[in-house]
Amino acid sequence: MTQTRFATFALAIPLYRVFDYAIDESSAVVGTRYRLPFANGVKTGILLSTQSDSSLDPSRIKTAQEVIDARPVISEHMLALARWVSEYYHQPLGEVIFQCLPAYLRGARPHVPARVKCWHLSPGATQDLERLQQRSPRQFEIFQALQQQSAGMTAIQLKAINTNWHGTIKALQAKRLVHWEWLSNSAPGAQHPDSTKPRPSDEQQTIMSLIESRQQRFAVHLLDGITGSGKTEIYLRLIESRLKAGQQVIYLVPEIGLTNQLIERVRERFGDCFAISHSGLGEMQRYRAWDRFARAEASIMLGTRSSLFSQSDNLGLIIVDEEHDLSYRQEDGIRYHARDVAIKRAQMLDIPIVLGSATPALETISNCERNTWFRYQMDQRPTRFSAPSIRLIDVRNSHFESGCSSQILKRIDHHLSQSGQVLIYLNRRGFAPIVMCHECGWQALCQNCDSRLTLHHSVRTLLCHHCGFTQSIPANCPDCGNSEIKHYGIGTEQLEQGLAQRYPETPIVRIDRDSISSREALKSRLQQLQSGEPCILVGTQMIAKGHDYPAITLSVVIDADQALFSASYRASERL
């Protein structure tokens, strides 16, 4: 006979309370999901605790329908972190807890470990390789690659050889030359010998020694280093130290755009023992990354702010690159700041956390000055490149063409003539930020949030960059009927068109959220710059940080003081 017990559950609803249900299981496990009757329907809840009685009237308490998980999907540590986030940011506990799970697990879908296939050459595989090379060069290419990889190859590795690898590997399987098996849970990844690593400078070596001396306890370390000072190399060496100790690492970057070159650098150093998670990936891809890290199949979690909630039983280090960046602030749904939550998580686990920035946030500097955190200033470049010269140009009474003043255009002409590449930064996407009637002063405003609608000329649409509201461009003014509706200001789309007209022989590469829809698209655009041929790179903040542009000789910031026209008290700091 089962004994009726009572349990407290958290539900993903915007209410600042938890709910009691009766359960018929004496072995209920905290952190598992249940199907729960709620109002006239069914919701998924997370079990928080069990007790033998309830302060509520037992006759009014409903009974939980069934348990979904055989084992917890969220650890007690993550539940404790969620409680802190809920209290600190005044957010509903249930919504915070479900935010800590990948979207795949926020409903009632079963938690099935996302295993990874690994292909090997079949024992005793024999084939006339010369004939295979002549008749099936793609099969021969993969066969040779598998011969060189005794540990086998995953889908990611096969895709790097041939993007259409599926049919090829099936053909090899049909010939019984190749078979697959599930990848084992422990995949530490190949470590390259020390000779392949860049030699650290004296400054880098000193900082690493100081951080490593405090690796066994909680401490906040700030790498305050100029661009190119070698912060990433310090991150990678600290990661290597934690992996050798058998621990895992969470490595946060602010935006998807920063992961491309970083992924290649991490792969070169550590092989494939890392998982990637960001909003550009699909729901299943992010779930698999979360699951691999939770099962210690991946030792490094590399991703944006939501990656902070990746579960680990043996986390040894958290890294927050570009800690000042606004992208770490979640401003819709559950509000939180990933940097601050990361610091709290490190404190709860008694592990170190490393923050990095060339322009640290003012509150970060304040904590360092109070001797609460450790600050390491990096003023040297290991590459010995000199610091760039910076010139402020007064554009009052200047003639503008293609969105640029005459002074800027002269400098662009000079650098292109010297076979250099030019970067032009304008943090305003679209064609024009203001659309209005010249007669009555009507402006195109968003119907949902009263923000100005931005003109996107290529799709003939007015778009709100805050809430996503769209509408077509009116032929006449809605207020006075005047047909002369004009646009004012300039965005990256208009800047690109103007520069293309002035420099018809020079490639114009635009990178912003309108022109980039995936990580592969961004990678493709950036590869155009690697050739070193003269070109002009135009973009928003996606191009402004974390990338290596070896052939760029001139950087231009258009309308820099627009950043000051903001309601935010941090406007001058951000500029």
Side-chain angles (χ1 to χ4, degrees):
M1 180 178 177
T2 59
Q3 181 182 4
T4 300
R5 304 187 68 196
F6 298 96
T8 302
F9 289 88
L11 280 71
I13 56 177
L15 294 177
Y16 292 83
R17 55 162 297 187
V18 291
F19 299 86
D20 283 355
Y21 283 84
I23 56 174
D24 294 328
E25 299 176 28
S26 58
S27 58
V29 181
V30 171
T32 53
R33 294 172 299 159
Y34 279 72
R35 288 187 179 89
L36 305 173
F38 189 86
N40 295 323
V42 177
K43 287 190 175 294
T44 302
I46 296 284
L47 178 62
L48 300 181
S49 63
T50 59
Q51 53 273 348
S52 58
D53 56 10
S54 173
S55 59
L56 302 176
D57 181 1
S59 64
R60 300 182 58 188
I61 297 179
K62 296 180 180 180
T63 301
Q65 290 185 356
E66 62 176 324
V67 64
I68 300 171
D69 307 302
R71 57 191 178 89
V73 294
I74 186 166
S75 65
E76 293 191 15
H77 159 66
M78 292 304 300
L79 287 174
L81 180 65
R83 288 189 178 96
W84 179 86
V85 171
S86 173
E87 294 174 5
Y88 188 79
Y89 292 103
H90 300 282
Q91 300 291 309
L93 177 60
E95 291 191 334
V96 173
I97 289 175
F98 278 86
Q99 180 75 30
C100 296
L101 294 174
Y104 180 86
L105 294 178
R106 292 174 192 171
R109 284 180 285 192
H111 172 37
V112 180
R115 294 181 293 178
V116 177
K117 286 183 177 181
C118 186
W119 281 265
H120 303 263
L121 288 182
S122 298
T126 58
Q127 179 75 18
D128 184 344
L129 295 185
E130 184 176 348
R131 184 180 178 186
L132 185 66
Q133 184 178 15
Q134 292 175 351
R135 300 188 63 177
S136 306
R138 292 181 179 179
Q139 295 179 28
F140 176 76
E141 184 181 35
I142 288 183
F143 188 92
Q144 271 197 319
L146 288 169
Q147 279 186 317
Q148 298 169 6
Q149 295 289 339
S150 58
M153 300 181 73
T154 64
I156 294 176
Q157 294 170 310
L158 291 170
K159 186 177 180 180
I161 299 174
N162 184 347
T163 54
N164 298 316
W165 62 275
H166 297 87
T168 306
I169 204 75
K170 285 182 178 179
L172 289 171
Q173 287 178 209
K175 296 176 181 178
R176 297 185 179 181
L177 298 176
V178 171
H179 72 284
W180 64 266
E181 57 189 34
W182 295 118
L183 194 66
S184 62
N185 286 349
S186 55
Q191 297 272 337
H192 287 253
D194 290 346
S195 59
T196 64
K197 305 173 189 174
R199 183 176 181 180
S201 65
D202 293 340
E203 182 181 61
Q204 288 174 317
Q205 190 62 56
T206 300
I207 292 172
M208 285 187 292
S209 299
L210 291 172
I211 295 176
E212 288 176 349
S213 67
R214 304 183 180 98
Q215 281 279 41
Q216 304 305 318
R217 63 181 188 274
F218 168 69
V220 182
H221 305 276
L222 170 65
L223 298 185
D224 180 2
I226 60 175
T227 303
S229 58
K231 297 187 292 295
T232 303
E233 180 59 28
I234 292 180
Y235 299 154
L236 296 179
R237 287 179 178 266
L238 292 174
I239 290 172
E240 181 180 1
S241 172
R242 291 302 87 206
L243 298 192
K244 286 181 178 178
Q247 295 181 314
Q248 292 177 288
V249 178
I250 292 178
Y251 189 163
L252 299 183
V253 293
E255 296 180 7
I256 302 171
L258 294 185
T259 61
N260 286 308
Q261 294 174 349
L262 183 59
I263 286 170
E264 297 306 319
R265 195 163 175 182
V266 171
R267 180 175 284 116
E268 288 175 4
R269 185 68 65 91
F270 303 109
D272 290 315
C273 71
F274 64 95
I276 305 168
S277 180
H278 55 70
S279 60
L281 298 177
E283 186 178 290
M284 180 56 73
Q285 290 174 302
R286 300 180 75 178
Y287 165 63
R288 286 175 176 169
W290 176 90
D291 183 62
R292 287 185 64 212
F293 192 72
R295 292 187 291 114
E297 184 179 307
S299 301
I300 306 167
M301 174 57 78
L302 174 61
T304 48
R305 60 174 178 257
S306 61
S307 303
L308 169 64
F309 299 112
S310 301
Q311 294 198 84
S312 169
D313 294 330
N314 196 22
L315 192 62
L317 175 67
I318 300 175
I319 296 171
V320 184
D321 196 17
E322 303 290 348
E323 61 86 22
H324 66 278
D325 198 277
L326 294 178
S327 299
Y328 286 123
R329 187 184 297 274
Q330 174 81 18
E331 295 183 338
D332 56 357
I334 299 300
R335 277 109 171 139
Y336 66 92
H337 197 302
R339 177 200 61 207
D340 298 341
V341 177
I343 292 172
K344 182 61 181 180
R345 184 175 185 184
Q347 182 190 47
M348 294 171 68
L349 294 173
D350 197 26
I351 62 173
I353 179 170
V354 178
L355 314 178
S357 176
T359 54
L362 295 183
E363 64 268 29
T364 301
I365 295 175
S366 176
N367 277 303
C368 293
E369 290 178 346
R370 294 203 303 264
N371 296 321
T372 306
W373 299 349
F374 300 97
R375 183 181 186 183
Y376 312 95
Q377 292 184 291
M378 304 175 66
D379 302 320
Q380 302 175 12
R381 287 184 168 88
T383 56
R384 305 302 179 192
F385 288 132
S386 59
S389 60
I390 301 175
R391 181 171 180 181
L392 191 64
I393 297 178
D394 187 346
V395 296
R396 287 176 293 185
N397 302 318
S398 296
H399 173 69
F400 281 80
E401 180 186 346
S402 307
C404 300
S405 66
S406 55
Q407 302 99 308
I408 292 296
L409 291 173
K410 287 180 182 178
R411 285 167 173 78
I412 293 175
D413 292 341
H414 171 71
H415 283 265
L416 291 178
S417 67
Q418 299 297 314
S419 298
Q421 293 180 346
V422 177
L423 181 152
I424 303 182
Y425 171 82
L426 175 60
N427 199 26
R428 187 190 293 130
R429 61 190 177 98
F431 192 86
I434 300 175
V435 177
M436 64 181 295
C437 173
H438 192 63
E439 292 296 324
C440 69
W442 168 86
Q443 292 188 34
L445 300 179
C446 176
Q447 295 180 6
N448 297 330
C449 62
D450 266 357
S451 299
R452 288 194 181 99
L453 296 178
T454 300
L455 171 63
H456 287 254
H457 197 273
S458 60
V459 291
R460 303 295 298 171
T461 300
L462 298 176
L463 171 65
C464 176
H465 289 173
H466 293 274
C467 69
F469 172 79
T470 61
Q471 73 174 51
S472 58
I473 303 172
N476 300 301
C477 174
D479 288 352
C480 69
N482 177 48
S483 61
E484 289 193 34
I485 294 180
K486 298 184 178 296
H487 56 76
Y488 298 90
I490 185 171
T492 51
E493 184 184 358
Q494 186 179 166
L495 181 60
E496 177 192 27
Q497 290 185 13
L499 291 170
Q501 293 175 2
R502 180 179 173 88
Y503 303 102
E505 304 299 325
T506 302
I508 311 295
V509 181
R510 177 164 66 99
I511 296 179
D512 55 28
R513 285 179 58 190
D514 298 324
S515 60
I516 301 297
S517 57
S518 65
R519 186 164 59 90
E520 287 70 24
L522 177 60
K523 185 176 181 180
S524 161
R525 296 287 177 91
L526 293 175
Q527 283 178 343
Q528 293 181 250
L529 303 171
Q530 302 303 316
S531 66
E533 295 296 323
C535 69
I536 300 176
L537 172 62
V538 175
T540 56
Q541 59 182 352
M542 291 181 71
I543 67 170
K545 52 201 172 185
H547 300 295
D548 181 22
Y549 304 114
I552 284 180
T553 58
L554 173 67
S555 295
V556 179
V557 179
I558 300 292
D559 196 11
D561 53 0
Q562 67 161 306
L564 294 175
F565 294 92
S566 168
S568 173
Y569 67 94
R570 290 183 180 270
S572 59
E573 177 189 352
R574 292 172 183 172
L575 174 59

